[in-house]
Amino acid sequence: VCGSGDQAFYSHFGGAKDVDIFDINKLTYYYFLLRKWSIEYLGEFYPPRDISKNTSWIKNLLSLVECKSYEEQSALLFWHLFTKRASEDSNSNLFYHISNYQRNAIDDVEKLRKSIADKEFKFIREDITGEVDKSKKYDIVIASNILEYCQGNILKLIRTRDNLYSLLVPGGMVVCSNLIREPESDSLSLEKTVFRSQFAAQDVSCGYVYTKK
């Protein structure tokens, strides 16, 4: 999942050869590219804590960017327009306060910069609980804070389970988190019951993993 972009960056830092990112909201991809540029051009893993009010930081970064694709050109235009609006409207705020999430597990940003220098991050705008493109198979799908949004809806859970099963190679894994809900909640129990027919569940320190049978 795209989200903050952390999972994609951590994956490449850990040696992944090919990473696609998906999200229902394309704004997450624009934020991901802003962070990617920050790593590439400034050597900073996280932007300032409140970039919506720190337009000078964004403007400086945008002046350095050399777009490598149409998607980056679109994102660059978006951020130029955003900084213009933010400077005109003191109440403009696109982001949540992120101070609680700035715990960087990457101790070598230069190594990360080199690891993503020649990588193409394909963004897929889709809802994993709905219709998805199943043409490509994956070893691992990271669904951090995603399955929680099924909210105990058994039909959504079944669709999500079938989608993930179709997206994974034999023995592939879905890495989940339990940050939003309690680990032993009724919602999680229903989810694991639905997944049990096609996946084996295993608890890990930061959440749980489903392995395709």
Side-chain angles (χ1 to χ4, degrees), residues 94-166:
L94 186 64
F95 306 99
Y96 290 108
H97 193 273
I98 60 174
S99 61
N100 293 330
Y101 302 94
Q102 291 193 346
R103 285 176 285 186
N104 182 10
I106 292 181
D107 56 2
D108 188 345
V109 179
E110 177 60 19
K111 176 184 173 182
L112 173 63
R113 187 188 67 79
K114 291 179 179 178
S115 70
I116 67 173
D118 59 345
K119 298 297 191 301
E120 177 183 355
F121 291 88
K122 179 183 178 183
F123 175 77
I124 305 167
R125 186 178 184 181
E126 64 185 13
D127 180 358
I128 196 68
T129 71
E131 296 295 323
V132 301
D133 179 3
K134 302 174 184 176
S135 59
K136 187 173 180 179
K137 306 302 180 186
Y138 297 90
D139 298 300
I140 299 173
V141 175
I142 300 175
S144 175
N145 297 338
I146 296 299
L147 302 189
E148 287 87 339
Y149 289 99
C150 292
Q151 295 291 337
N153 185 318
I154 192 166
L155 294 179
K156 274 191 172 184
L157 287 171
I158 291 172
R159 283 199 302 269
T160 304
R161 177 201 65 193
D162 293 345
N163 285 338
L164 290 168
Y165 190 87
S166 298

Side-chain angles (χ1 to χ4, degrees), residues 9 13 22 45 124 144 153 199 203:
F9 293 129
F13 187 76
F22 73 93
F45 186 65
I124 305 167
S144 175
N153 185 318
F199 291 87
D203 291 329

Side-chain angles (χ1 to χ4, degrees), residues 50-97:
D50 194 352
I51 62 174
S52 60
K53 296 178 181 177
N54 190 355
T55 57
S56 60
W57 180 89
I58 302 180
K59 289 178 180 178
N60 175 56
L61 174 59
L62 299 184
S63 69
L64 302 174
V65 172
E66 296 180 6
C67 295
K68 304 177 181 66
S69 66
Y70 172 79
E71 288 75 17
E72 289 200 356
Q73 291 176 347
S74 297
L76 187 66
L77 175 60
F78 170 85
W79 286 113
H80 277 303
L81 294 173
F82 172 79
T83 54
K84 182 176 185 298
R85 175 166 180 170
S87 62
E88 295 173 351
D89 181 3
S90 60
N91 294 319
S92 179
N93 193 346
L94 186 64
F95 306 99
Y96 290 108
H97 193 273

